[in-house]
Amino acid sequence: MRQGARKLLTAAMLVSLMVLTGCSGDADIPTLDEATKQLIADGDKLLASRELAATGSAAATERADRESEVGCLKGQVQRFFRAQGDLTGPPYVHSPSNVAGLMASWLQLRGYNMIVDDADLGDENLGAAVLRNPQTGITFFVTVRNGQKPHIMIVGKTSCYQRDG
């Protein structure tokens, strides 16, 4: 990956994370437990989707099983769903931007809005998308790259919530 693209990707992900980690006072936002259940359900369904199976496979490495303070204000926590995997077939058969786009389309059909897409971040060896569900506050980061394993990286996260107790 080009150095400039790597810096752009890192900066965009950090800015997106910072913008999306704040809490909302909206009473319609689910509780952390409700958001965690939805995060796991959406993550598992994405991993089992035809869109992913058509180009590769991925498995969960973290299923929102612990609270994290990373990216939250003091006294707040969030949960993460992480998965990684590889593209199938000979090298460079699948365009990273197309694979990221397929997964982004799957998420969009389930109520997620595109925040950042490959046109902003990608190059011929990198595809990326950031999507957020405004009803649940859940955000997914999808990154697909050629040449370096794992090829597919998916990170889902809840919004930040006040720590209980």
Side-chain angles (χ1 to χ4, degrees), residues 14-41:
L14 288 174
V15 168
S16 296
L17 185 62
M18 289 170 35
V19 167
L20 298 172
T21 56
C23 279
S24 169
D26 190 349
D28 293 338
I29 298 292
T31 65
L32 178 59
D33 287 338
E34 292 168 340
T36 299
K37 288 176 186 170
Q38 190 64 52
L39 172 64
I40 294 167

Side-chain angles (χ1 to χ4, degrees), residues 17 21 32 35-36 39-40 43 60-72 77-83 138-141 154-160:
L17 185 62
T21 56
L32 178 59
T36 299
L39 172 64
I40 294 167
T61 58
E62 180 181 348
R63 294 186 71 240
D65 51 0
R66 59 186 162 83
E67 293 179 348
S68 174
E69 297 175 343
V70 174
C72 294
V77 294
Q78 63 184 335
R79 299 263 175 116
F80 286 91
F81 180 97
R82 299 177 202 273
I138 296 170
T139 303
F140 273 94
F141 302 87
I154 301 167
V155 177
K157 67 174 209 67
T158 65
S159 294
C160 292

Side-chain angles (χ1 to χ4, degrees), residues 2 6 14 18 20 22 25 55 61 65 80 82 88-90 94 98-99 102 106 110 114 131 134 141 147 149 152 164:
R2 295 178 308 190
R6 183 175 312 201
L14 288 174
M18 289 170 35
L20 298 172
T55 56
T61 58
D65 51 0
F80 286 91
R82 299 177 202 273
T88 56
H94 302 292
N98 288 346
V99 176
L102 282 172
W106 187 92
R110 281 143 191 90
M114 186 78 73
L131 298 98
F141 302 87
K149 290 189 175 189
I152 301 168
D164 290 336

Side-chain angles (χ1 to χ4, degrees), residues 8-9 12-13 15-16 20 104 113-122 128-132 140-142:
L8 180 61
L9 174 63
M13 292 290 193
V15 168
S16 296
L20 298 172
N113 296 326
M114 186 78 73
I115 295 172
V116 179
D117 66 7
D118 186 61
D120 298 327
L121 299 175
V130 181
L131 298 98
R132 183 172 191 272
F140 273 94
F141 302 87
V142 177

